[in-house]
C-alpha cells in the first residue's frame, strides 16, 4: 500500500511531489475539502500527475469495520481499520444546531483510567496526523453540512498529549482554510493531565480549547480513578494550569464523569470549587456510560442535575452532557472491545 497524502500540508505535498505550490493546494483541497476517494476525480490535475498519484499514493488508509447508529439521536460510531490492521474508534454526535466529531489520538491507551473501556485493552501505538484527520473525513463524507463546520473533540481513544506533535499537526490540517477550515474555538483537546504536553500546547498561538479530565479534586480519589495522578498530583497539575493560563490567557474546561456514590456528592462539589480557585475554568459534567466488567454505576439524573445546579448557583459556567449514545455503546473503547471479543 502506498503512502497517504492527508497528513501533509499543501506546501508539503508540493515539495514531496516536486510540483508547483498551486498544484499542492489543488490536491489538498481535493483530499480535505471535497473528500474524494479517487485520484481520477481530481479533474483539474494533469493526467500525468494523476497517474503518478495512483501509482505511489493512497487517498485514504482507513477502512470501515463496523458502524453503529442510534435510531433515537442519530449519533453514529465507527470502528475503522488502519493500514497495519489495528482498529480505532470515532464518533459523530448530532446536536440541535451542531455536529461534533470525537476523534481518537492513539490505538488504545496506557493510562488505565478505571472507568474507561479503552484502558482495558492497553496501549499499542500513537496515531499519525493523517490517521487522525481521516477519522473526521470519514465521518463527514455523507454529511450535508450546509456550509457549516463541525466541532472537534479529541476525546476518543488515547491520551492526546502523549502524542502531542501528531495531534498538533492534525489540528492544523483540520483548521487549514484550503480544507475543512474549522475554527480554533471549535476544537477541544482533552488530557488527563500530561504536564509536558500541556506546556507544549501552551506554546501554540491559537485559541484551541484545552479540557482536563479531572473527575475528582482530592488526590486519594483521583489516583484511584485516574492513575496518572500518582505521577502528577493535583497540586502539580494546578501549578501547570496556572502557568498555562498565564501564558495563553485561555480558559480551560474541567471534565467530570459522574459516577454514582463516587464523585457526585456535595463534598465532591466543595472539593472541586476549592480546587478551581484561581483558575478560569468551566465544568462539563458527563453521565457515565456503563461498561461491562467495571465496578461503577451511573449517577441518578437528579444527582447529576443537582451537581450542575450547585455549579451554576456558584457562578460557574457548567453544562450537563445529554446522553446520546448509550444504545450503541458510544462510550470510548466499547465498540472496539466488543468487536475484539467476538473475533
Amino acid at each position: 500500500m502506498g503512502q497517504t497524502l492527508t497528513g501533509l500540508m499543501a506546501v508539503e505535498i508540493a515539495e514531496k511531489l516536486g510540483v508547483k505550490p498551486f498544484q499542492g493546494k489543488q490536491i489538498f483541497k481535493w483530499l480535505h475539502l471535497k473528500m474524494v476517494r479517487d485520484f481520477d476525480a481530481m479533474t483539474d490535475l494533469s493526467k500525468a500527475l494523476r497517474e503518478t498519484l495512483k501509482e505511489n499514493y493512497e487517498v485514504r488508509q482507513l477502512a470501515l469495520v463496523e458502524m453503529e447508529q442510534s435510531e433515537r439521536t442519530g449519533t453514529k460510531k465507527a470502528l475503522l481499520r488502519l493500514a497495519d490492521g489495528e482498529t480505532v474508534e470515532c464518533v459523530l454526535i448530532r446536536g440541535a444546531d451542531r455536529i461534533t466529531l470525537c476523534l481518537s489520538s492513539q490505538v488504545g491507551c496506557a493510562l488505565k483510567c478505571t472507568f474507561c473501556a479503552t484502558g482495558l485493552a492497553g496501549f499499542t501505538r500513537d496515531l499519525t496526523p493523517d490517521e487522525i484527520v481521516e477519522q473526521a473525513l470519514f465521518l463527514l463524507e455523507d454529511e450535508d453540512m450546509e456550509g457549516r463546520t463541525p466541532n472537534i473533540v479529541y476525546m476518543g481513544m488515547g491520551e492526546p498529549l502523549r502524542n502531542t506533535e501528531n495531534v498538533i499537526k492534525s489540528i492544523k490540517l483540520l483548521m487549514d482554510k484550503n480544507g475543512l477550515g474549522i475554527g480554533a474555538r471549535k476544537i477541544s483537546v482533552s488530557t488527563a493531565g500530561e504536564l509536558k504536553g500541556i506546556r507544549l500546547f501552551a506554546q501554540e498561538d491559537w485559541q484551541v480549547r484545552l479540557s482536563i479530565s479531572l473527575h475528582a479534586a482530592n488526590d486519594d480519589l483521583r489516583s484511584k480513578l485516574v492513575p496518572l495522578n500518582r505521577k502528577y498530583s493535583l497540586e502539580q497539575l494546578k501549578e501547570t494550569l496556572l502557568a498555562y493560563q498565564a501564558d495563553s490567557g485561555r480558559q480551560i474546561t474541567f471534565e467530570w464523569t459522574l459516577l454514582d456514590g463516587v464523585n457526585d456528592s456535595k463534598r465532591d462539589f466543595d472539593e472541586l470549587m476549592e480546587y478551581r480557585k484561581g483558575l478560569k475554568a468551566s465544568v462539563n459534567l458527563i453521565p457515565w456510560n456503563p461498561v461491562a466488567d467495571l465496578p461503577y454505576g451511573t449517577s441518578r439524573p437528579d444527582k447529576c442535575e443537582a451537581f450542575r445546579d450547585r455549579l451554576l448557583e456558584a457562578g460557574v459556567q457548567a453544562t450537563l452532557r445529554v446522553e446520546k449514545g448509550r444504545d450503541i455503546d458510544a462510550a470510548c473503547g466499547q465498540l472496539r472491545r466488543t468487536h475484539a471479543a467476538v473475533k
Side-chain angles (χ1 to χ4, degrees), residues 66-70 73-80 88-94 99-104 135-136 138-140 143 150-157 289 321 324-326 328-335:
E66 186 175 349
M67 174 78 80
E68 293 188 352
Q69 183 157 349
S70 170
T73 65
T75 292
K76 60 182 182 181
K77 183 171 192 175
L79 182 67
L80 303 175
V88 69
E89 296 177 355
C90 54
V91 183
L92 182 149
I93 304 165
R94 300 186 192 281
I99 281 178
T100 299
L101 308 182
C102 182
L103 308 183
S104 294
Q135 295 172 58
F138 181 91
L139 290 171
L140 291 174
E143 295 293 322
N151 289 353
I152 302 287
V153 292
Y154 285 73
M155 288 183 65
M157 293 167 52
N289 269 330
R321 183 180 297 179
K324 293 189 175 184
R326 187 168 299 175
I328 60 167
D329 288 335
C332 179
Q334 285 182 299
L335 182 57

Side-chain angles (χ1 to χ4, degrees), residues 153-280:
V153 292
Y154 285 73
M155 288 183 65
M157 293 167 52
E159 165 52 61
L161 296 189
R162 283 195 172 182
N163 188 21
T164 310
E165 183 178 345
N166 288 339
V167 164
I168 287 174
K169 184 164 186 181
S170 72
I171 292 171
K172 292 178 179 178
L173 288 162
L174 293 169
M175 290 171 58
D176 193 295
K177 64 181 180 181
N178 293 306
L180 293 177
I182 300 173
R185 292 179 180 271
K186 300 184 78 171
I187 300 174
S188 180
V189 173
S190 174
T191 177
E194 270 295 335
L195 304 192
K196 180 180 178 181
I198 293 171
R199 295 183 190 110
L200 289 172
F201 196 77
Q203 295 173 15
E204 295 296 323
D205 185 19
W206 58 17
Q207 292 298 312
V208 175
R209 300 178 184 273
L210 180 67
S211 297
I212 308 299
S213 293
L214 195 63
H215 313 302
N218 75 71
D219 278 316
D220 287 343
L221 178 55
R222 190 167 193 266
S223 292
K224 293 176 183 177
L225 298 176
V226 184
L228 184 64
N229 196 72
R230 300 168 194 166
K231 180 179 181 181
Y232 303 125
S233 69
L234 282 166
E235 181 180 358
Q236 291 172 292
L237 175 60
K238 185 168 183 178
E239 289 174 357
T240 302
L241 294 176
L242 288 168
Y244 169 83
Q245 293 199 318
D247 291 341
S248 69
R250 304 173 213 153
Q251 180 173 293
I252 60 173
T253 298
F254 285 139
E255 292 158 355
W256 194 281
T257 298
L258 289 159
L259 304 166
D260 186 38
V262 176
N263 64 350
D264 59 357
S265 69
K266 174 64 163 56
R267 176 181 175 179
D268 298 302
F269 163 78
D270 290 339
E271 290 173 345
L272 172 58
M273 289 300 295
E274 181 65 26
Y275 188 73
R276 183 183 172 276
K277 287 181 179 178
L279 291 166
K280 295 178 289 184

Side-chain angles (χ1 to χ4, degrees), residues 50-120:
R50 279 180 278 162
E51 288 299 320
T52 296
L53 292 172
K54 285 193 294 182
E55 290 171 6
N56 297 284
Y57 299 97
E58 297 287 334
V59 175
R60 294 194 214 156
Q61 296 189 61
L62 306 191
L64 179 65
V65 176
E66 186 175 349
M67 174 78 80
E68 293 188 352
Q69 183 157 349
S70 170
E71 295 182 3
R72 179 170 56 86
T73 65
T75 292
K76 60 182 182 181
K77 183 171 192 175
L79 182 67
L80 303 175
R81 179 172 288 112
L82 309 174
D84 62 359
E86 295 292 344
T87 55
V88 69
E89 296 177 355
C90 54
V91 183
L92 182 149
I93 304 165
R94 300 186 192 281
D97 59 354
R98 72 176 72 180
I99 281 178
T100 299
L101 308 182
C102 182
L103 308 183
S104 294
S105 57
Q106 296 179 315
V107 180
C109 185
L111 298 192
K112 299 186 182 300
C113 296
T114 59
F115 53 87
C116 177
T118 300
L120 294 172

